[in-house]
Amino acid sequence: MENDYVFDLLHKAVDQGHKLGADFVEARYDDLTLTTINYTNEKVRESSTKQRRGIGVMTYVKGSPGYSFTPDITSEAIQETTKRSLGIAKATEPLLTFKHIYDDRSSIKDSIVKKVKIHPKEVEFDEKLDMLKRGIANAKDQVDAQSTTGMWGELWGDKLFVNSEQSEIYWTPLLFDLRIMAVAMTETSQARGSDGVGQSQGMEYFDIEAHSPETLGTNAGKWCKEQIDAVSAPPGKHRALVGPRMAGVLAHESFGHLSETDFVITGMSPISDRVGEQLGTEHATIIDEGITKEGGFFLPYDDQGTKTGKTVLMDKGMLLGYLHDRSTANKMNTEPTGNSRAITFMFPSIPRMKNTYFKPGNISFDEAVEQVGDGLYTAGTSGGQTDLDGTFLFKCSRGYLIENGEITKPIKDAALSGQILEFIQQISGVTNEMDIFTSYFGGCGKGGQYPLPVGLGGPSLVVDEVLVGGE
Amino acid sequence: MVLEKIRSELLEVADLALKYSKDLAVPTAEAFIIKNSLTEIKYSKGKTECRDGMVQGIGIRVAVGKQVGFATCAGFASESLKTTIENAHKIAKNSPEDPRFSGFVAESKPGKEGNLDVNIVNLETASLIGQMAELIKESNIDDQRLVGADLEIGTEWGGYAVATTEGCLVSSMHTTHYGTAYAVTMGQDERSTAFGFKAGLTLQDLSGIGTSAIEKALKHLGSSPLGETVKIPTIWEPISASMLLSTTFTVGLNGGTVVEKRNPLMSKLNEQIANKDFQLYDDGTNPEKLSCEAVDAEGSTVRKTEIIKDGVLKNFLFDNFYGPVFGAGSTGNARRNPPTEYESLPTIGPNKLVIQPGTKNLDEIIAGFDDAIYIEGFPMGMGHSNMITGDFSVTATNAYLVKNGEIVHPLKPVSIAGNFFKSLNDLEHVGSDTIDLPFPLESSTLAINNHTISG
């Protein structure tokens, strides 16, 4: 659809909202295309394309927000949607004590198109399938795999935004994700290994050997093979070297979510009212950023039309701030941080993360292993979970014992758990590497909105004590 | 009336999809169409988040011989529908053949739908707001240890239709009303959280879910660390038991992964995999339960399937793709992922796994143990278990130490590790206290030996 036509429809929604009594209106349009290929056991199990196109309208009445949405891009449907949004905003107003009030801001007119050499949409299906086949072939060179899976996912399209300030913002989301997985059988169990990359980049990214399908496949096969003879992680408290992937998950799942101001402003987060306090060691610096040099998800604007920037949440252990939308920033007398995000037009935007990571330090990886001495190296993760009290559990899908300052035997799946505010007091060293990634298969989940593309990562962290679960 | 109007609209769009498929010379096609109205109100200490809208969309699968493509679009616009069929056709033509594909569902006899409650459809937003006001009131207790309670209530009603060029044209409608509460309490240097919820096909009395969550969160304050690693029995109340078993059973009973040779139970059919007193079946036909639909997400009839009888594995669950490959046919277990089901290809999942209850209640089970750990609520990390080996390691944030048949005190979060499949054999008790849960598995209290607990 032409941008001018869509902007016109969005302006009409804003105007109608005001006529019906709204104090402020935001109207959004998404037109996203998602493509998935699942190549399991060398057969195409899924080949699909999805079009997510629709409009969402958020209205505010005396500070009370109401949201509605429609996939019908017509004036009539948008009028009805605006009316529905206003209806629920008005009805819930008596329940409110927290008013969503914005400060006055200038109108923004901006258009940001992510530039890449080869856009995924220009590459044919066969070429993408061939990447999966090459990855799988390399995995099978490494291990006698009982089962293999290659997955390709891409998301791209247009996002348009208009609000009562007459802002008009257009930008183009883009991400791809390629994964190779292998499963092998032993007499008593099954072992698996996987590797993948997810970035907001063009297809030229795969020309670099470290990211090529061949390298990913080789890693998946190699890591699967070493799991066959892996030893169980000894349960109990250990020193650990937490690799970039798990460090990213920790920064995101445990600390990042606690920093989201919908939790903070109600006092539900354990780090509410603690700005200025020394919560972690001098090695703990945590950042949330819209566009990073190192990669991750490209996010120039959030879904309230706020330009994203770099938000330092924790600097050398001291809590500096939180992740805001416009209303929480106004309430807490600070600047919005561009963290109001929605997964699709079907959902209202809520405080969510951008690209969240630990800042690198100054020791090398080898020095970090030596510093751990005896403990665990957690290199890969299959994700984690956290509770609002700060309790976390993260699964280590690839890990190794560290003995006498050297990485030795691979360990079976182990779960690291603890309390994030205690964890960041245990960080005693940070490496000088940096790896940030995003994902199409998976992402952030909150309030029923899953999977939202986010970026996460960082360096490796030396941790003096973490609880490992296992038999 | 409104639901029947939506059913007619769904069937009309389904018919239109078949007509366009014919016009576009598509060999064979399947259309999955959904329309769901949802209203949700969330409240957290004076802050609200509300959504009111209609989820609607179409998923089209096209087969050219044994080449299959899938495409989806939001909404029912004619142009989008045509483009989606063309996209699915194009993808199918470009995809390699899968010799295992045996066609879409040809005919199907719809079963019973879940009980439909027009009171949910007719519920005014103002009434929902009134229910929320009551919940806010009951959750506003005078106790300084209460940090707050996040509350959510909502309704969902609508349905889906499935049509295939092979002759299937069926629909299924549903209504749901629910409420949840998540309480956070704070004591001396510790925080505790707990859930309360209620959900059903008919209008629910939501009173009590706020106070129940708050009471549980308060009860857990004053916790002490376990301080050691031990191997003693664990007792799981119905919600935590359901969480423990749901994820792994969902994976382990998947007939698709049996065919793909990566299912840990694939060689165990007709073998003893659980304690001989353990009975499990999958039932999508109970009209009292949230999971009840007339047809599954491919249009196949939903049924009741025996899964484990006297501890022996009797069946896996199948959809219309993997069932014929296995030689068993579909068991009516094709599911699509909510809330935008039209965007997902059918996958295999339970309709509602039900464990046959035993004879003892929770108190009687606890009374039978000298040393044990009692677990309430939602243990963290089951979703990250090793689905292949069955190894799991979860963190229980609401755990209690049991000594001499009594709960002694709450514990700081403990890590519980074990193997799911070993646990089925190590089952000491299945309780009598089954409750209806909006999860894939309905359990009563379980007591299991040989878990490793650290904390």
Side-chain angles (χ1 to χ4, degrees):
Chain A
M1 265 183 200
E2 292 296 322
N3 282 1
D4 287 348
Y5 173 72
V6 176
F7 273 133
D8 188 47
L9 283 178
L10 298 180
H11 279 298
K12 280 181 181 161
V14 171
D15 292 345
Q16 194 206 356
H18 284 293
K19 276 181 201 156
L20 294 172
D23 305 317
F24 199 88
V25 184
E26 291 153 346
R28 313 194 313 255
Y29 169 85
D30 290 353
D31 187 357
L32 302 176
T33 298
L34 295 86
T35 300
T36 309
I37 304 171
N38 180 317
Y39 184 64
T40 297
N41 291 339
E42 298 178 65
K43 290 190 178 64
V44 175
R45 184 66 193 97
E46 177 178 354
S47 171
S48 69
T49 179
K50 300 167 189 173
Q51 189 187 37
R52 273 186 197 157
R53 188 168 69 189
I55 283 179
V57 180
M58 175 73 99
T59 57
Y60 299 86
V61 179
K62 296 179 188 169
S64 174
Y67 188 78
S68 190
F69 56 91
T70 178
D72 292 338
I73 316 300
T74 61
S75 289
E76 298 74 28
I78 288 156
Q79 277 187 16
E80 180 57 30
T81 301
T82 308
K83 222 163 93 182
R84 254 181 117 149
S85 142
L86 212 84
I88 198 157
K90 282 181 177 170
T92 49
E93 196 268 327
L95 298 178
L96 247 78
T97 52
F98 176 89
K99 306 280 184 188
H100 291 251
I101 307 291
Y102 292 180
D103 60 355
D104 293 332
R105 292 195 171 251
S106 311
S107 175
I108 299 171
K109 310 274 184 203
D110 202 0
S111 171
I112 297 183
V113 176
K114 172 77 182 170
K115 288 194 173 56
V116 294
K117 275 190 191 165
I118 308 166
H119 196 287
K121 70 182 174 188
E122 292 160 5
V123 176
E124 292 296 328
F125 169 85
D126 284 350
E127 201 171 321
K128 290 163 187 166
L129 181 60
D130 186 56
M131 289 166 71
L132 298 178
K133 287 180 177 175
R134 279 153 42 207
I136 296 291
N138 274 44
K140 291 178 82 166
D141 284 345
Q142 298 291 321
V143 66
D144 183 14
Q146 181 197 26
S147 166
T148 55
T149 302
M151 298 204 295
W152 170 263
E154 69 188 53
L155 177 156
W156 46 265
D158 303 313
K159 281 177 79 82
L160 284 78
F161 175 87
V162 163
N163 66 7
S164 296
E165 290 152 348
Q166 301 301 306
S167 289
E168 280 185 3
I169 297 164
Y170 168 70
W171 68 280
T172 56
L174 165 68
L175 79 83
F176 63 68
D177 194 343
L178 189 154
R179 298 188 186 193
I180 306 292
M181 285 163 273
V183 177
M185 189 75 165
T186 69
E187 278 187 13
T188 53
S189 68
Q190 288 171 307
R192 58 184 171 173
S194 67
D195 197 17
V197 288
Q199 292 292 346
S200 290
Q201 297 280 350
M203 300 297 280
E204 61 276 9
Y205 188 79
F206 294 103
D207 294 340
I208 298 166
E209 194 184 346
H211 314 143
S212 72
E214 286 80 1
T215 303
L216 301 176
T218 300
N219 287 341
K222 194 170 70 184
W223 294 338
C224 176
K225 190 176 182 184
E226 66 186 24
Q227 276 292 308
I228 294 172
D229 299 316
V231 297
S232 292
K237 289 181 175 171
H238 295 280
R239 289 173 67 77
L241 180 60
V242 175
R245 295 213 167 216
M246 190 175 270
V249 174
L250 273 159
H252 173 98
E253 289 288 352
S254 47
F255 195 81
H257 279 302
L258 300 185
S259 311
E260 290 165 344
T261 41
D262 46 349
F263 298 141
V264 170
I265 208 147
T266 55
M268 299 290 266
S269 167
I271 59 170
S272 296
D273 299 322
R274 298 187 71 175
V275 167
E277 282 188 39
Q278 190 75 26
L279 298 180
T281 67
E282 59 177 316
H283 302 284
T285 294
I286 303 173
I287 292 165
D288 184 72
E289 192 171 9
I291 302 169
T292 78
K293 279 185 291 186
E294 292 84 2
F297 184 62
F298 171 76
L299 184 75
Y301 280 93
D302 75 358
D303 288 312
Q304 286 183 331
T306 301
K307 194 161 195 166
T308 61
K310 185 174 184 173
T311 311
V312 181
L313 294 169
M314 174 171 283
D315 184 32
K316 295 176 183 165
M318 181 182 285
L319 184 67
L320 291 192
Y322 304 115
L323 301 175
H324 288 278
D325 63 19
R326 285 187 66 176
S327 62
T328 62
N330 189 41
K331 179 88 173 172
M332 296 173 80
N333 200 24
T334 184
E335 290 294 307
T337 52
N339 285 88
S340 192
R341 301 185 59 197
I343 184 169
T344 70
F345 68 92
M346 293 185 204
F347 289 91
S349 62
I350 54 175
R352 305 293 290 265
M353 279 165 267
K354 306 180 291 256
N355 294 279
T356 316
Y357 57 92
F358 278 93
K359 189 180 170 188
N362 50 19
I363 56 173
S364 69
F365 183 80
D366 289 344
E367 287 167 337
V369 174
E370 202 172 316
Q371 191 176 327
V372 171
D374 289 297
L376 303 177
Y377 168 45
T378 61
T381 178
S382 55
Q385 198 178 339
T386 183
D387 195 282
L388 257 192
D389 65 0
T391 310
F392 67 79
L393 179 140
F394 297 110
K395 195 77 191 178
C396 168
S397 57
R398 182 168 71 91
Y400 305 86
L401 290 180
I402 297 177
E403 295 171 305
N404 296 320
E406 285 187 12
I407 293 173
T408 57
K409 306 176 194 76
I411 55 171
K412 282 185 189 171
D413 282 358
L416 270 61
S417 60
Q419 220 286 349
I420 188 62
L421 297 183
E422 290 168 12
F423 179 89
I424 54 179
Q425 288 169 6
Q426 298 292 332
I427 300 172
S428 59
V430 182
T431 65
N432 50 17
E433 325 146 87
M434 188 64 170
D435 184 12
I436 299 182
F437 51 92
T438 185
S439 59
Y440 174 91
F441 302 102
C444 177
K446 180 180 170 186
Q449 300 194 43
Y450 172 84
L452 179 78
V454 292
L456 43 92
S460 296
L461 311 175
V462 178
V463 181
D464 286 344
E465 187 177 277
V466 67
L467 181 65
V468 177
E471 287 192 286
Chain B
M1 186 65 116
V2 175
L3 286 172
E4 286 312 310
K5 207 173 150 192
I6 290 179
R7 191 199 300 275
S8 299
E9 187 185 1
L10 289 168
L11 292 170
E12 271 171 31
V13 177
D15 246 354
L16 201 60
L18 297 185
K19 180 185 172 298
Y20 288 159
S21 298
K22 199 175 167 188
D23 294 348
L24 294 164
V26 167
T28 55
E30 172 205 71
F32 178 84
I33 298 113
I34 184 171
K35 183 163 184 168
N36 270 331
S37 167
L38 57 88
T39 306
E40 61 186 31
I41 300 166
K42 298 177 182 178
Y43 177 89
S44 178
K45 296 189 78 176
K47 195 171 185 294
T48 59
E49 182 191 312
C50 310
R51 185 163 72 120
D52 184 20
M54 195 71 85
V55 176
Q56 46 188 331
I58 303 166
I60 301 284
R61 277 198 290 177
V62 164
V64 179
K66 291 182 180 295
Q67 298 165 277
V68 183
F70 180 58
T72 76
C73 65
F76 297 161
S78 296
E79 283 312 305
S80 298
L81 175 54
K82 281 181 193 164
T83 306
T84 304
I85 295 168
E86 284 170 341
N87 284 342
H89 193 190
K90 186 180 161 197
I91 291 168
K93 285 191 285 189
N94 284 329
S95 296
E97 281 196 351
D98 189 338
R100 301 172 301 177
F101 178 73
S102 59
F104 302 120
V105 172
E107 55 182 321
S108 171
K109 190 179 166 194
K112 283 181 285 189
E113 288 173 338
N115 293 335
L116 302 176
D117 189 350
V118 291
N119 294 317
I120 292 177
V121 179
N122 296 331
L123 195 67
E124 299 281 341
T125 308
S127 302
L128 267 182
I129 306 289
Q131 290 177 353
M132 178 57 90
E134 288 298 314
L135 270 186
I136 293 169
K137 198 172 158 191
E138 77 167 42
S139 305
N140 190 20
I141 65 162
D142 185 21
D143 190 321
Q144 293 205 331
R145 296 173 300 167
L146 176 64
V147 177
D150 283 352
L151 308 169
E152 179 177 345
I153 58 173
T155 59
E156 187 185 322
W157 46 268
Y160 56 83
V162 183
T164 68
T165 46
E166 275 99 329
C168 175
L169 181 61
V170 288
S171 64
S172 185
M173 309 301 288
H174 50 252
T175 55
T176 310
H177 179 218
Y178 68 90
T180 66
Y182 175 73
V184 178
T185 57
M186 192 155 73
Q188 190 79 29
D189 296 329
E190 64 173 334
R191 290 167 76 89
S192 169
T193 60
F195 277 100
F197 66 89
K198 207 178 235 187
L201 297 167
T202 53
L203 212 53
Q204 302 290 299
D205 174 7
L206 299 178
S207 60
I209 60 169
T211 46
S212 147
I214 292 166
E215 278 165 17
K216 281 183 196 164
L218 285 171
K219 190 177 74 175
H220 197 261
L221 290 176
S223 60
S224 311
L226 181 64
E228 56 180 341
T229 297
V230 291
K231 213 163 193 171
I232 55 176
T234 48
I235 302 164
W236 308 68
E237 51 85 36
I239 293 173
S240 55
S242 174
M243 290 291 98
L244 175 71
L245 301 184
S246 283
T247 314
T248 316
F249 261 139
T250 300
V251 172
L253 297 176
N254 185 329
T257 54
V258 173
V259 171
E260 300 289 0
K261 295 183 179 164
R262 52 191 166 89
N263 187 308
L265 294 178
M266 63 191 174
S267 59
K268 306 284 185 190
L269 197 61
N270 295 317
E271 288 188 16
Q272 192 87 29
I273 65 160
N275 180 314
K276 64 179 174 47
D277 295 328
F278 190 78
Q279 323 289 341
L280 179 75
Y281 54 92
D282 180 62
D283 187 6
T285 66
N286 186 340
E288 306 286 325
K289 305 279 184 183
L290 283 165
S291 52
C292 184
E293 299 283 0
V295 289
D296 75 0
E298 289 177 314
S300 295
T301 309
V302 169
R303 66 202 75 184
K304 185 171 175 178
T305 306
E306 188 174 60
I307 303 293
I308 297 175
K309 183 174 168 53
D310 301 332
V312 175
L313 178 65
K314 304 302 284 186
N315 281 300
F316 293 106
L317 304 174
F318 289 102
D319 61 5
N320 193 54
F321 176 85
Y322 283 111
V325 180
F326 190 75
S330 171
T331 52
N333 285 92
R335 317 274 299 176
R336 302 190 196 228
N337 300 329
T340 49
E341 286 88 343
Y342 62 90
E343 283 196 337
S344 119
L345 273 168
T347 55
I348 299 170
N351 291 312
K352 175 73 93 178
L353 291 168
V354 181
I355 297 173
Q356 187 171 302
T359 53
K360 289 185 177 175
N361 65 26
L362 174 63
D363 291 340
E364 289 166 334
I365 289 173
I366 288 175
F369 286 99
D370 287 338
D371 291 291
I373 304 290
Y374 167 58
I375 299 129
E376 274 189 352
F378 296 77
M380 294 165 61
M382 275 316 295
H384 300 286
S385 302
N386 186 333
M387 303 299 177
I388 294 168
T389 62
D391 290 335
F392 70 84
S393 180
V394 300
T395 294
T397 51
N398 288 47
Y400 296 82
L401 187 65
V402 173
K403 287 269 180 202
N404 302 320
E406 286 183 0
I407 291 174
V408 184
H409 62 75
L411 291 167
K412 298 275 186 209
V414 290
S415 157
I416 302 168
N419 181 282
F420 172 81
F421 303 106
K422 280 184 197 161
S423 296
L424 292 180
N425 277 302
D426 289 340
L427 263 177
E428 181 83 18
H429 291 291
V430 177
S432 59
D433 46 357
T434 307
I435 53 172
D436 189 10
L437 298 167
F439 306 137
L441 184 140
E442 185 176 286
S443 177
S444 47
T445 294
L446 300 177
I448 304 169
N449 291 319
N450 294 323
H451 287 157
T452 302
I453 300 113
S454 321

